[in-house]
Amino acid sequence: MAGSQLKNLKKTLKEQGFTGQTNVRGSKKGNKRQAREYDREERAEQITRIREQFSPFELKVNRDKRAVQGSQKAAQRPVGKPGISKQVGEQQRLQAHEARSRNKNKLGGVLDRRFGERNKDMTQEDKMLERFTRERQSQSSTKKSLFNLEDDDDEGGFGGSAADDDLYGGSLTHYGKSLALEDDFEDGDLGLQDFKRDAPFDSTQELDQPARKKTKAEVMKEVIAKSKFYKQERQKTQEKLQDDIQDVDQDFDDIMSELNAVPKRSKQFAAQEKSNTDREYDTKVRELGLDKRAAPADRTKTQEEIEKENTEKRQKLEQARLDRMNGMFNQDEDRGVEDLGDDFWGGDDSQDEGEYDEHLDNDTNPEDDLELPGESNEKGWSRTSRAVPVLSCPQNQEELSAYLEHHDANEHPSLIKDIVKTFQPQLAAGNKEKLGNFVGVLLRHILSVSNSYDKSNLSEFSDMQNALIAILKSMAQKYNEPLSLACREIINELQARFKSQRSHGLSASDLVFFTLVGYIFSTSDHYHLVVTPCNVLIGELLEQTKLNTYQNIAFCAILARISLSYQRVGKRLVPELVYFFEKSLMTLLPMSVEAKAKKGLTKIKCDSEDLKAPLSIAANAMEKCQLNLRQVSSHNGQFDDLEITALLCNILSSLDDAISKIWKEVSAFPELTLPFATILMEYETLYPEFPMPRAILDKIKRLQSFNEHFPLALQNHRPLSIPTHTPKYEENFNPDKKSYDPDRTRNEVNKMKAQIKKDRKFTMKEIRKDTRFEARQQIDEKKKENADYHSKMARLVNQISTEEGAEKGKYEREKRLRGSKR
Amino acid sequence: MVLPKDEIAACAKRITSSNDRRSYNDIVKLVSQYPDLSQLDESKFEIEEPALRYLTMALLQIFRKLFSRGQLNPAKATSEKEKLFSQWCRKVYGSYKAKLLHCISSIPFETSLALDCLDVYMQLLEQEAIFLASRDGAPFFPNKTLKALILAIFKSNIQGSVDATDGHSKNPIVLEFTSSYYKKYVDIQYYFQAELTQLITDSAVLEDIDHTQLMAKWISIMNHDNHYSSKDADLEIYVSEPPQAMENEAQYKSNLEKNWLAFLNLSGLPATQYKTTLLILHKRIIPHFQTPTKLMDFLTDSYNLGDDVVSLLALNGLFELMRRYNLEYPNFYAKLYQLVTPTLMHIKHRSRFLRLTDLFLSSTHISANMVASFIKRLARLTLDSPPSAIVSVIPFVYNLMKKHPTCMIMLHDPDFVVDPFATLDEIALLKERKAQYVDPFQMGEVNPELTGAIDSSLWELESLTNHYHPNVATLAKIFSQPFKKHTYNMEDFLDWSYDSLLQAEITRKLKVLPALEFEEQGAAFGDYLKCVEW
């Protein structure tokens, strides 16, 4: 079609005879005829046709590409009217929304569905009558069936409830007898017949509709009536106001004269009053006003609250520990384990540099005090009471030992506490660094002291060491970084020492060091900057130390203990531990090489053949399985039988611990314990009255029965589809057939899935539409509210300004009047 | 006592400058100047050495002159008298050579004189080739002379000349001979091997010499890449006109083979020499053999020595023979399997073992049973091995699994998969299967085909996901992830040690504060660490 849309529209309208001068001649002829109903209908139809023609989006025709030409299907294409369906949806939503907003903020309650209950126009009797009629009607209607859904609609709101009644058995009964009135009452019995007949049927029908839409004329009438009424009201109030004002005006002169009669006060009176005391008082008051107000102190917490807080804190810490154990890190900057993937072994040496101090500074808050152990009960303890010279913070080990030299061992802890007290970070700048350094010095001091001590003052020594360790642990909180650095340094040194001197370079202090690391740091972490190197080093020592002296065995036995306590929570497998247990037990087994070979125990080569356990072990030997650090550090290397027995018992109890605490959770438990079974069997035959080997064997057997041992299924992954590159063709393809799957059940499942998917999609779409509608509605409401508010304000302002204007005019008039009077 | 220098010089001058036969008696005098060197004292000898060297050089000059005068070849003598004279000269020359050889073989410590003697002797050899040929320009090689030298070299006994680490000889004579002559000249190689074969078969002379020394020298001479039969050898001829016979490569190879076998058959050799031999076996020995399979017995014996490294290397040699030369060796994999011992995980040559085993098992034609046995055994051994060993075993097993997917059943047995949609019957069946399952693997079985490993499962490797070292634990998790990676590069994993692991840890920067223990544990010794006290 040529020309613009508008032109075309005009042309079409004209052609159809809707616009312009149509049938001019005809009208002149005077065959005026009333527009009939069918004309109007036709007209409406024509208009809709034109409308559809000019707005191509009103109709949506689904083109069927597959349809066979000339078939029935081709003729009747499905036609959709998106605009209209949208409009319908919109209307439905609006209705639902209105219903919802009506019920908004109204919780529960009973919906009064009694007929006409809220209708003010009906009298009580009318209501009763109507209800009765309805009841009868509903009972007498026979066509209602339980499943007749169609009737619901024309019944409207009430019909729905009636249908509901029907669903539950039709009518009320008592002991199977109907409670309906049909049996006893004839219609005419109560003389209600007339009433019923007279009852205007259409009125009831009207009444039961929610609200009939009023015609425009009615509305206009109402509006006019209302405005007239309001106007009258306003006039009345206006008149009354005028009267009041006049009354007041009349009284005004009298009041003024009264007021002028009162004598004026002198102004100096107030100044004179203020004496010195008053002034003082004022300044006091002012000062007090400037004073800082007393703030309410924190409420004293109850015992339960404190406990609750503590447990919460513990839980939090425990959770953090578990996270670390599983190698999970919630912070991004925590980059301990990310680079532990494949590329670690690939040997990329890119060590990322720097940017670590920023994290470190966050944690060390200089404000909070360091709480030293055992401090709370000795508050009086202070620097003044003790004649301690102004000391310097020892920055290396010599300084510290020089400082401690002339004091008894039991004074050392308090002396060190002194140092820590004196160099609190808040007391002077640089103290923090000094104390940080001091932590390392203290650690080294503890280690060096533990290398050289004698049996004589053992308890005193251990008290001192324990106290020092406690101080160290409490300082670790604040001086974590320097302490960690010091530990890593020591690890390095230790490894270098072991590398150059092998087992001769080891001493008791190394054991103390490992113990302290486990004591201070969290050993269960998946990766830990101090503990992981320690673990590696312990492994190295356990594996590579030659077990050729009792000392070395004792050293490794203690190391094994330490390793076990490291894995207390983490429960990780340490293969070197297995190796050490096997090797040490084989070494201590009092059998010749040939005898071992005969029993098939040559799996592991022993480093020495002359370290044997004594030939008899008492039954209660397990009670004395204590090892001490002196055995490692004393260099005579002589172990008496008792000590050897203790050593063996210690190893056995460690083995027991390992089995019952760590290995039992490992899937290779039977494989792990296999070598020990044979070795322990030998021990059992050699020492019939020594119960420990038997006990361990029993334990292994018991745990094995618990441990389910069946093949692994590690690769149970979701199957991945194999990409096919040639398309699959189907013989006898039928477009109506949706699936060619031969498996019936799968087919069904797929069908169901498709259905669910479709429904889900549809529902999602609906929900989205709903939410969008809600949002729109809300915005509208807001806008309306705003508009209401603004119009209200405008009205108020308008009113005020009118009143003001009126008043002003009056005032002017009055003024003029008075002026003219004068 | 050796004559003073000037006197020697005068004698030499007299002989070389004029053809006066009367002065020839001086040669005898000069030759007899050499003392008996076998019982020499090192300190005393230092004084005599310059004089002896001078004497040697002078005599070399004299005999060169004699060669050029043609007085040493009796066959070329024109008259009877000349012939007698030549024979006399030859005798004197012979005694001079004997003295030189005596110097080479008998001095019991390192001297430069012996090296000089060697050089001089080789120069004489060259002269002989020129002048002692049947006619001028005729091809000739003085093999008798070389044979004497060979004997002398092998007899030379310098204390402590055997390198303890690799069994090479550090004897300077041997080294000099190898580097300046044997490695450079093809004819010397040929005749050396030929004469040595003669020497070994004919006489029992070599039997008297210390076997270790012999072997050491032999290894030192042979351990290079510039052989007669090497493809890209860069060799020259030493004598001007070597005989045609020299071009017979087969002969050379068989000689060399005989010599090698003879040396390898010597009894009482230290393991280091076996090790060195085995190390150079497939690069420097097998290619030069006529029939390399003859090495089989030697290799089998080496395997049976019991030393892990030697056994492994012997297997490597056998493998090479099987691969290249069609050797039938049915017990190869059983023998290899027996090398997988608990000690393997704790010794240094583990990485070499894994490298070679990787090679041996690379064939896809070996049975799944066997591969499974290897995998299972290695896995079992990881339970008490250091992280470095574990780290090398895990990718090794992974690669094997990739190559032999039938072994995947050891990681994933579909019969034991827990299916959440299983019916009650299936659940009951699974339960029954689980209850009835007994691990069929036998650690003690020596035959890898019969261990039953394929029906077992790798719990050991699964347990390693719980290893204390985070990296090892992470690595062990590859078995529960999809096998997407083609192979792991073994070289990245083989050479880890505690040292390198710790180094990797220590160089890590302190980025996050290490977490502290929050629990109260009482005293460090006694409460935290039980059964240990101060």
Side-chain angles (χ1 to χ4, degrees), chain B residues 198-227:
Chain B
Q198 288 273 315
L199 212 58
I200 290 165
T201 46
D202 288 354
S203 63
V205 191
L206 291 178
E207 290 298 307
D208 308 335
I209 306 167
D210 179 31
H211 286 173
T212 314
Q213 285 265 358
L214 268 184
M215 188 65 187
K217 284 172 187 164
W218 172 246
I219 290 175
S220 296
I221 293 171
M222 294 310 293
N223 191 5
H224 62 88
D225 279 325
N226 215 7
H227 280 293

Side-chain angles (χ1 to χ4, degrees), chain A residues 269-300:
Chain A
F269 179 73
Q272 225 172 20
E273 258 336 64
K274 278 202 172 172
S275 66
N276 280 345
T277 50
D278 278 353
R279 220 171 283 143
E280 248 172 51
Y281 173 78
D282 277 354
T283 48
K284 276 267 167 62
V285 167
R286 228 171 284 134
E287 272 172 11
L288 283 174
L290 288 174
D291 262 1
K292 199 179 165 193
R293 297 233 174 120
D298 281 345
R299 189 169 58 85
T300 322

